[in-house]
Coordinates of all heavy atoms in Angstrom, one line a residue:
S1 N 0.8 -1.2 0.0 CA 0.0 0.0 0.0 C 0.9 1.3 0.0 O 0.5 2.2 0.7 CB -0.9 0.0 1.2 OG -1.7 -1.2 1.3
R2 N 1.9 1.2 -0.8 CA 2.9 2.4 -0.7 C 2.2 3.7 -1.2 O 2.4 4.7 -0.6 CB 4.1 2.1 -1.6 CG 5.1 3.2 -1.7 CD 6.4 2.8 -2.4 NE 7.1 1.8 -1.7 CZ 8.0 2.0 -0.8 NH1 8.4 3.3 -0.5 NH2 8.7 1.0 -0.2
V3 N 1.3 3.6 -2.2 CA 0.6 4.8 -2.7 C -0.3 5.3 -1.6 O -0.3 6.5 -1.4 CB -0.1 4.5 -4.0 CG1 -0.9 5.7 -4.5 CG2 0.8 4.1 -5.1
G4 N -1.0 4.4 -1.0 CA -1.9 4.9 0.1 C -1.2 5.5 1.2 O -1.6 6.5 1.8
L5 N -0.1 4.9 1.6 CA 0.7 5.5 2.7 C 1.3 6.9 2.3 O 1.3 7.8 3.1 CB 1.9 4.6 3.0 CG 1.6 3.4 3.9 CD1 2.8 2.4 3.8 CD2 1.5 3.8 5.4
S6 N 1.7 7.0 1.1 CA 2.3 8.3 0.6 C 1.2 9.3 0.5 O 1.5 10.5 0.8 CB 2.9 8.1 -0.8 OG 4.0 7.2 -0.7
A7 N 0.0 8.9 0.1 CA -1.1 9.9 0.1 C -1.4 10.4 1.5 O -1.6 11.7 1.7 CB -2.4 9.3 -0.5
R8 N -1.5 9.6 2.5 CA -1.7 10.0 3.8 C -0.6 10.9 4.4 O -0.8 11.8 5.1 CB -1.9 8.8 4.7 CG -3.2 8.0 4.5 CD -3.2 6.6 5.1 NE -4.4 5.9 5.1 CZ -4.9 5.2 4.1 NH1 -4.1 5.1 3.0 NH2 -6.1 4.6 4.2
A9 N 0.7 10.5 4.0 CA 1.8 11.3 4.4 C 1.7 12.7 3.8 O 2.1 13.7 4.4 CB 3.1 10.6 4.0
A10 N 1.2 12.8 2.6 CA 1.1 14.1 1.9 C 0.1 15.0 2.7 O 0.3 16.2 2.9 CB 0.6 13.9 0.5
L11 N -1.0 14.4 3.1 CA -2.0 15.2 3.9 C -1.4 15.6 5.2 O -1.6 16.8 5.7 CB -3.2 14.3 4.2 CG -4.0 14.0 2.9 CD1 -5.2 13.1 3.3 CD2 -4.5 15.2 2.2
R12 N -0.6 14.8 5.8 CA 0.1 15.2 7.1 C 1.0 16.3 6.9 O 1.1 17.3 7.7 CB 0.8 14.0 7.7 CG 1.4 14.2 9.1 CD 2.0 13.0 9.6 NE 2.4 13.2 11.0 CZ 3.6 13.7 11.4 NH1 4.5 14.0 10.5 NH2 3.8 13.8 12.7
C13 N 1.7 16.3 5.8 CA 2.7 17.4 5.4 C 1.9 18.7 5.2 O 2.3 19.7 5.7 CB 3.4 17.0 4.2 SG 4.6 18.2 3.6
A14 N 0.7 18.6 4.6 CA -0.1 19.8 4.3 C -0.6 20.3 5.6 O -0.8 21.5 5.8 CB -1.2 19.4 3.4
E15 N -1.0 19.4 6.6 CA -1.5 19.9 7.9 C -0.4 20.7 8.6 O -0.8 21.6 9.4 CB -1.8 18.7 8.7 CG -3.3 18.2 8.6 CD -3.6 17.2 9.7 OE1 -3.0 16.2 9.8 OE2 -4.6 17.5 10.4
R16 N 0.8 20.4 8.5 CA 1.9 21.0 9.3 C 2.3 22.3 8.7 O 3.1 23.1 9.4 CB 3.1 20.0 9.4 CG 2.7 18.7 10.1 CD 3.9 17.8 10.3 NE 4.8 18.3 11.3 CZ 4.8 17.9 12.6 NH1 3.8 17.1 13.0 NH2 5.6 18.4 13.4
V17 N 1.9 22.7 7.5 CA 2.3 24.0 7.0 C 1.4 25.1 7.7 O 0.2 24.9 7.9 CB 2.0 24.0 5.4 CG1 2.3 25.4 4.9 CG2 2.9 23.0 4.8
E18 N 2.1 26.2 8.0 CA 1.4 27.2 8.7 C 1.3 28.5 7.9 O 2.2 28.8 7.1 CB 2.1 27.5 10.1 CG 2.1 26.3 11.0 CD 2.8 26.6 12.3 OE1 3.4 27.7 12.4 OE2 2.8 25.8 13.2
G19 N 0.3 29.3 8.1 CA 0.2 30.5 7.4 C -1.3 30.8 7.0 O -2.1 29.9 7.1
A20 N -1.5 32.0 6.4 CA -2.9 32.3 5.9 C -2.9 32.2 4.4 O -1.9 32.6 3.8 CB -3.2 33.7 6.4
G21 N -4.0 31.8 3.9 CA -4.1 31.7 2.4 C -4.7 30.3 2.0 O -5.6 29.8 2.7
V22 N -4.2 29.7 1.0 CA -4.7 28.5 0.5 C -3.6 27.5 0.5 O -2.4 27.8 0.2 CB -5.2 28.6 -1.0 CG1 -5.6 27.2 -1.5 CG2 -6.4 29.5 -1.0
T23 N -3.9 26.2 0.9 CA -2.9 25.2 1.0 C -2.7 24.6 -0.5 O -3.7 24.1 -1.0 CB -3.2 24.1 1.9 OG1 -3.4 24.6 3.2 CG2 -2.1 23.0 2.0
L24 N -1.5 24.8 -1.0 CA -1.3 24.2 -2.3 C -0.4 22.9 -2.1 O 0.7 23.0 -1.6 CB -0.5 25.2 -3.2 CG 0.0 24.6 -4.6 CD1 -1.2 24.1 -5.4 CD2 0.8 25.6 -5.3
L25 N -1.0 21.8 -2.5 CA -0.3 20.5 -2.3 C 0.0 19.9 -3.7 O -0.9 19.6 -4.5 CB -1.3 19.6 -1.6 CG -0.7 18.2 -1.1 CD1 0.5 18.4 -0.2 CD2 -1.8 17.4 -0.4
T26 N 1.3 19.8 -4.0 CA 1.7 19.3 -5.3 C 2.3 17.8 -5.0 O 3.2 17.6 -4.2 CB 2.8 20.1 -5.9 OG1 2.4 21.5 -5.9 CG2 3.2 19.7 -7.3
I27 N 1.7 16.9 -5.8 CA 2.0 15.5 -5.5 C 2.1 14.7 -6.8 O 1.7 15.2 -7.9 CB 0.9 14.8 -4.6 CG1 -0.5 15.1 -5.2 CG2 1.0 15.4 -3.2 CD1 -1.6 14.4 -4.5
H28 N 2.5 13.5 -6.8 CA 2.5 12.6 -7.9 C 1.1 12.3 -8.3 O 0.2 12.1 -7.4 CB 3.3 11.3 -7.6 CG 3.5 10.4 -8.7 ND1 2.5 9.5 -9.2 CD2 4.6 10.2 -9.5 CE1 2.9 8.9 -10.3 NE2 4.2 9.2 -10.5
P29 N 0.7 12.1 -9.6 CA -0.7 11.9 -10.0 C -1.3 10.6 -9.3 O -2.5 10.6 -9.1 CB -0.6 11.7 -11.5 CG 0.7 12.5 -11.9 CD 1.6 12.3 -10.8
A30 N -0.5 9.6 -9.1 CA -1.0 8.4 -8.4 C -1.6 8.7 -7.1 O -2.6 8.0 -6.6 CB 0.0 7.3 -8.3
L31 N -1.0 9.7 -6.4 CA -1.5 10.0 -5.0 C -2.9 10.7 -5.1 O -3.7 10.5 -4.2 CB -0.5 10.9 -4.3 CG 0.6 10.2 -3.5 CD1 1.4 9.2 -4.3 CD2 1.5 11.2 -2.8
K32 N -3.1 11.5 -6.1 CA -4.3 12.3 -6.2 C -5.5 11.3 -6.2 O -6.6 11.6 -5.7 CB -4.3 13.2 -7.4 CG -5.6 14.1 -7.5 CD -5.5 15.0 -8.7 CE -6.7 15.9 -8.7 NZ -6.7 16.9 -9.8
A33 N -5.3 10.2 -6.9 CA -6.4 9.2 -7.1 C -6.8 8.6 -5.7 O -7.9 8.0 -5.6 CB -6.0 8.2 -8.1
K34 N -5.8 8.6 -4.8 CA -6.1 8.0 -3.5 C -6.7 8.9 -2.5 O -7.1 8.5 -1.4 CB -4.7 7.5 -2.9 CG -4.2 6.2 -3.6 CD -5.0 5.0 -3.3 CE -4.5 3.7 -3.8 NZ -5.3 2.5 -3.4
L35 N -6.7 10.2 -2.8 CA -7.2 11.2 -1.8 C -8.7 11.2 -1.8 O -9.4 11.6 -2.7 CB -6.7 12.6 -2.1 CG -5.2 12.8 -2.1 CD1 -4.8 14.2 -2.5 CD2 -4.6 12.5 -0.7
K36 N -9.3 10.7 -0.7 CA -10.7 10.7 -0.6 C -11.3 12.1 -0.3 O -10.7 12.9 0.4 CB -11.1 9.7 0.5 CG -10.7 8.3 0.3 CD -11.1 7.4 1.5 CE -10.6 6.0 1.3 NZ -10.9 5.1 2.4
P37 N -12.5 12.4 -0.9 CA -13.1 13.7 -0.6 C -13.2 14.0 0.9 O -13.0 15.2 1.3 CB -14.4 13.6 -1.3 CG -14.3 12.6 -2.4 CD -13.3 11.6 -1.8
G38 N -13.6 13.0 1.7 CA -13.7 13.2 3.1 C -12.4 13.6 3.7 O -12.3 14.4 4.7
W39 N -11.3 13.1 3.3 CA -9.9 13.4 3.8 C -9.6 14.9 3.5 O -9.1 15.6 4.4 CB -8.9 12.5 3.2 CG -8.9 11.1 3.6 CD1 -9.8 10.6 4.5 CD2 -8.1 10.1 3.1 NE1 -9.5 9.2 4.6 CE2 -8.5 8.9 3.8 CE3 -7.0 10.0 2.2 CZ2 -7.9 7.6 3.5 CZ3 -6.4 8.8 1.9 CH2 -6.9 7.6 2.6
L40 N -10.0 15.4 2.3 CA -9.7 16.8 2.0 C -10.6 17.7 2.8 O -10.1 18.8 3.2 CB -9.9 17.0 0.5 CG -9.0 16.2 -0.5 CD1 -9.3 16.5 -1.9 CD2 -7.5 16.7 -0.2
D41 N -11.8 17.2 3.1 CA -12.7 18.0 4.0 C -12.1 18.1 5.4 O -12.1 19.2 6.0 CB -14.1 17.4 4.0 CG -14.8 17.6 2.7 OD1 -14.5 18.4 1.9 OD2 -15.8 16.8 2.5
D42 N -11.5 17.0 5.8 CA -10.9 16.9 7.1 C -9.7 17.9 7.2 O -9.4 18.6 8.2 CB -10.4 15.5 7.5 CG -11.6 14.6 7.8 OD1 -12.7 15.1 8.1 OD2 -11.4 13.4 7.7
L43 N -8.9 17.9 6.1 CA -7.8 18.8 6.0 C -8.2 20.3 6.0 O -7.6 21.1 6.7 CB -7.0 18.5 4.7 CG -5.8 19.4 4.4 CD1 -4.7 19.3 5.6 CD2 -5.1 19.0 3.1
R44 N -9.3 20.6 5.4 CA -9.8 22.0 5.4 C -10.2 22.4 6.8 O -9.9 23.5 7.3 CB -11.0 22.1 4.4 CG -10.6 22.0 3.0 CD -11.8 22.3 2.1 NE -11.4 22.1 0.7 CZ -11.6 21.0 -0.1 NH1 -12.2 19.9 0.5 NH2 -11.2 20.9 -1.3
R45 N -10.9 21.4 7.5 CA -11.3 21.7 8.9 C -10.1 21.8 9.8 O -10.1 22.7 10.7 CB -12.3 20.7 9.4 CG -13.7 20.8 8.8 CD -14.7 19.8 9.5 NE -14.3 18.4 9.2 CZ -14.9 17.7 8.3 NH1 -15.8 18.3 7.5 NH2 -14.6 16.5 8.1
S46 N -9.2 21.0 9.6 CA -8.0 21.0 10.5 C -7.2 22.2 10.4 O -6.7 22.7 11.4 CB -7.1 19.7 10.2 OG -5.9 19.8 10.9
T47 N -7.0 22.7 9.2 CA -6.2 23.9 9.0 C -6.9 25.2 8.9 O -6.3 26.3 9.0 CB -5.4 23.7 7.7 OG1 -6.3 23.6 6.6 CG2 -4.5 22.4 7.7
G48 N -8.2 25.2 8.6 CA -9.0 26.4 8.5 C -8.7 27.1 7.1 O -9.0 28.2 6.9

């Protein structure tokens, strides 16, 4: 499950970025397919 692990690690990396604005997450295309809509909603709530 390397792709799934890497997708989750990408979200963790995005969570740890600080500042005001929009979180821009640049990843390999294979990871994007693994990002569930609910995970992205959780990221928005977590970071504001």
Side-chain angles (χ1 to χ4, degrees):
S1 306
R2 182 173 291 271
V3 176
L5 279 165
S6 298
R8 291 166 170 84
L11 294 175
R12 186 174 190 272
C13 182
E15 269 192 303
R16 298 181 74 92
V17 178
E18 298 181 352
V22 174
T23 304
L24 174 60
L25 186 60
T26 307
I27 54 178
H28 188 280
L31 270 60
K32 185 177 181 180
K34 287 288 185 178
L35 297 178
K36 300 179 182 180
W39 292 357
L40 296 177
D41 291 340
D42 290 341
L43 179 59
R44 293 184 181 96
R45 285 191 291 268
S46 174
T47 62

